[in-house]
Amino acid sequence: MSDIISYIEEHGQDFEQELFELLRIPSISTSSDHKDDIQEAADFLVERLEELDLDKVEKIQTDGHPVVYAEYMPHPDRPTVLVYGHYDVQPPDPLEEWETPPFEPTIRDGRIFARGSADDKGQVYTHLKSLQAFRETGTEFPVNIKFVLEGEEEIGSPHLAPFLKEHKEKLETDMVLVSDTAMFAEDTPSITYGLRGLVYMEFELVGPNRDLHSGVFGGAVDNPANVLCEMIAQLRDDDGQIQIPGFYDKVRDITPEEREAYRKLPFDEEEYKKELDIKALNGEEGYTTLERSSARPSLDVNGLWSGYQGEGAKTVLPAKAGAKVSMRLVPDQDPNEIADLFRKHVENLAPDTVSIEVTEHHGGFPAMTDPDFYGLKAAAEAYEDVYGKEPLFKREGGSIPIIAEFKKILDAESILMGFSLESSKIHSPNENFLQKDFHRAIKTSAKFFEVLHKYKE
Ligand code: BES
Ligand code: ZN
């Protein structure tokens, strides 16, 4: 193992430069203008994997963006790890808030700034480099490895579940390894065992057949913008409970043991508020901030539109108003069922004065890893070896829609071994990845591969 660690230390600079090349490619999955960039990012990964002399490296087209697939299977009698990650990124806007341009990776204060540095290019790349360290030092790779790197995670992975079904035999694995989550705090390695699911809905209200003069018609004709606000206000009550009938029916309660474990996490609520520049927090009555943001469901307006947005004032009664609303789900909520409940509920809430159209965007099931799964023990040993500390176990509020499908389709548990931080600002301007965590992640990955087979039951 010392050869491997020395190799990683000696080549750290080169690894950063390679990552920078990948970060320069604006592989924004949601925008059709970036189709070529998506292909370029996939090609870049294919080339880097081809250099590792594996059994197979392929770029597999889907009905959407391609999947980069690779495999190296030296040990028929040892476990197989499927490394999953994504090479697509979120749009970088608002651009003016970036201190340096999003697709010109820059190091400042020991952090690599670029869109995708933490979510997820910088994190997923660490597994390619740890494998490289084994290959280049002539060290036998201790387990079997497959890679599934996708270009549609940030748009809800619409083509990946069909891909898993179609290639079920080829993708057979004992576990999935994912580095696309965060650590609890700096120098605090963390294994995430739960992720929330997601339902993303949109609805639009249409009132009169045109925008009206608000003096001539106001008070007599219902205003879709007013109606929208009244409807949204009814989606939660004063205790922060979501008011969609049936919404909580399948919510699994947090166990007393889990609540105790939550209480022991080193969380500072004052710091949390300070970092966000807010005076007070708000959420579901009876739950702590950490529970609310990871183990309880939530409902948020993600976008709103109606009426006049330009400079100054325009007296108008707008003809239309709309909203995008996302709900984060916890086990055992089903995104399809929740989408139906939401649709029915807002259709019921809408008065006769407007018509309503509801659309469903992407979604995904919540996911939980079996806490006794042997792979977690190997991950914990790897973290402890590199960070000098036992990792914390925690749930997170974000979603990785394919994780639940890995369990359903491939019957594989996922190990969420994340390295980003809350201060990594994923999806926000100035996204960054702590430089030292990029290097520690490569070592943690190598250590994980080294010790894994010892734990196999
Ligand atoms: N890496 C995140 C997921 C994440 C973030 C997990 C923070 C845990 C903590 C992932 O890239 C992401 O942003 N997922 C989307 C999924 C959606 C677009 C379907 C999300 O959570 O909004
Ligand atoms: Zn993301």
Side-chain angles (χ1 to χ4, degrees):
M1 194 67 191
S2 66
D3 280 5
I4 304 268
I5 298 299
S6 312
Y7 181 89
I8 293 170
E9 285 172 357
E10 275 161 33
H11 293 80
Q13 287 281 0
D14 304 338
F15 296 165
E16 281 183 14
Q17 289 311 312
E18 287 172 31
L19 172 63
F20 281 20
E21 250 183 82
L22 179 60
L23 292 172
R24 285 191 194 103
I25 308 170
S27 45
I28 304 165
S29 48
T30 191
S31 150
S32 48
D33 294 348
H34 289 277
K35 264 195 133 132
D36 292 349
D37 297 313
I38 282 279
Q39 296 293 334
E40 196 185 329
D43 291 338
F44 174 89
L45 290 167
V46 165
E47 283 162 30
R48 295 293 81 74
L49 285 160
E50 276 171 347
E51 288 164 4
L52 304 182
D53 192 20
L54 309 178
D55 301 334
K56 242 184 229 166
V57 180
E58 298 164 343
K59 178 166 105 169
I60 307 176
Q61 298 297 343
T62 67
D63 288 338
H65 302 321
V67 170
V68 173
Y69 178 77
E71 67 177 51
Y72 180 56
M73 307 286 287
H75 296 288
D77 53 332
R78 287 197 184 170
T80 300
V81 180
L82 187 151
V83 173
Y84 162 78
H86 62 97
Y87 62 83
D88 65 322
V89 298
Q90 288 275 338
D93 55 278
L95 278 176
E96 63 282 3
E97 288 186 27
W98 285 80
E99 281 181 41
T100 48
F103 297 106
E104 289 175 27
T106 311
I107 294 179
R108 269 196 318 278
D109 309 327
R111 290 169 184 263
I112 302 167
F113 284 86
R115 172 58 89 231
S117 54
D119 184 10
D120 176 38
K121 290 170 175 174
Q123 292 209 61
V124 71
Y125 203 61
T126 61
H127 300 298
L128 276 74
K129 296 301 104 178
S130 80
L131 175 56
Q132 176 176 332
F134 284 93
R135 305 296 285 141
E136 293 291 322
T137 52
T139 313
E140 186 183 33
F141 192 65
V143 288
N144 306 300
I145 187 166
K146 297 178 178 178
F147 285 90
V148 169
L149 313 177
E150 72 152 320
E152 299 193 317
E153 195 274 344
E154 299 291 9
I155 52 171
S157 306
H159 300 99
L160 198 59
F163 178 89
L164 299 187
K165 285 183 191 142
E166 189 184 333
H167 300 278
K168 198 170 160 194
E169 269 93 66
K170 176 178 182 145
L171 302 177
E172 213 178 329
T173 187
D174 294 288
M175 70 201 74
V176 178
L177 177 63
V178 185
S179 293
D180 192 23
T181 51
M183 300 199 292
F184 195 79
E186 206 170 317
D187 298 322
T188 310
S190 322
I191 294 174
T192 299
Y193 66 90
L195 289 173
R196 290 197 287 188
L198 180 72
V199 177
Y200 201 114
M201 306 294 291
E202 173 170 338
F203 66 101
E204 190 168 69
L205 305 178
V206 181
N209 59 8
R210 60 186 187 278
D211 282 4
L212 302 174
H213 188 294
S214 65
V216 177
F217 294 96
V221 174
D222 215 353
N223 178 333
N226 292 21
V227 175
L228 182 74
C229 296
E230 286 156 10
M231 287 173 66
I232 288 172
Q234 291 176 62
L235 294 177
R236 291 190 318 183
D237 71 3
D238 290 346
D239 290 336
Q241 285 266 326
I242 295 159
Q243 295 298 295
I244 301 169
F247 185 86
Y248 289 97
D249 285 1
K250 292 195 173 170
V251 170
R252 205 190 294 171
D253 285 335
I254 316 175
T255 62
E257 297 76 39
E258 214 176 3
R259 297 199 90 169
E260 189 50 36
Y262 264 106
R263 265 191 284 279
K264 288 194 185 133
L265 292 174
F267 178 66
D268 182 339
E269 197 153 289
E270 288 310 311
E271 258 316 297
Y272 183 78
K273 286 191 282 190
K274 208 166 121 206
E275 208 271 320
L276 298 171
D277 282 328
I278 47 181
K279 284 203 211 82
L281 294 167
N282 185 26
E284 193 184 358
E285 202 55 38
Y287 294 94
T288 65
T289 296
L290 287 180
E291 289 167 348
R292 287 169 178 171
S293 63
S294 62
R296 294 295 298 170
S298 60
L299 178 151
D300 280 283
V301 174
N302 295 159
L304 274 179
W305 63 96
S306 187
Y308 182 63
Q309 312 282 326
E311 195 183 341
K314 177 187 178 194
T315 49
V316 63
L317 191 163
K320 291 179 182 173
K324 292 180 194 279
V325 176
S326 73
M327 288 158 279
R328 297 285 167 170
L329 310 180
V330 300
D332 298 304
Q333 288 177 296
D334 174 329
N336 305 311
E337 289 172 10
I338 298 294
D340 287 344
L341 293 177
F342 179 90
R343 176 190 296 277
K344 278 198 200 103
H345 186 57
V346 289
E347 282 173 356
N348 279 337
L349 284 181
D352 291 346
T353 52
V354 294
S355 63
I356 177 166
E357 190 169 346
V358 186
T359 347
E360 183 180 343
H361 294 284
H362 53 232
F365 279 82
M368 288 274 231
T369 300
D370 172 2
D372 295 324
F373 177 56
Y374 72 89
L376 297 181
K377 299 186 180 76
E381 181 182 339
Y383 267 126
E384 193 169 351
D385 184 65
V386 175
Y387 283 79
K389 272 186 203 169
E390 265 182 49
L392 300 176
F393 281 79
K394 65 176 171 82
R395 291 169 72 166
E396 282 196 84
S399 309
I400 304 176
I402 205 64
I403 301 295
E405 306 302 319
F406 281 130
K407 179 71 193 160
K408 274 190 253 169
I409 302 168
L410 303 181
D411 192 27
E413 296 289 337
S414 289
I415 301 169
L416 303 173
M417 198 162 92
F419 296 94
S420 73
L421 296 169
E422 217 156 69
S423 60
S424 292
K425 300 184 176 160
I426 62 169
H427 295 203
S428 299
N430 303 308
E431 176 178 349
N432 65 84
F433 191 17
L434 206 62
Q435 201 178 7
K436 68 177 178 193
D437 280 328
F438 174 64
H439 300 284
R440 291 195 287 201
I442 300 171
K443 292 180 188 169
T444 310
S445 166
K447 186 74 188 175
F448 170 78
F449 292 130
E450 190 204 38
V451 301
L452 177 63
H453 65 99
K454 281 196 324 200
Y455 288 95
K456 190 178 175 189
E457 283 143 357

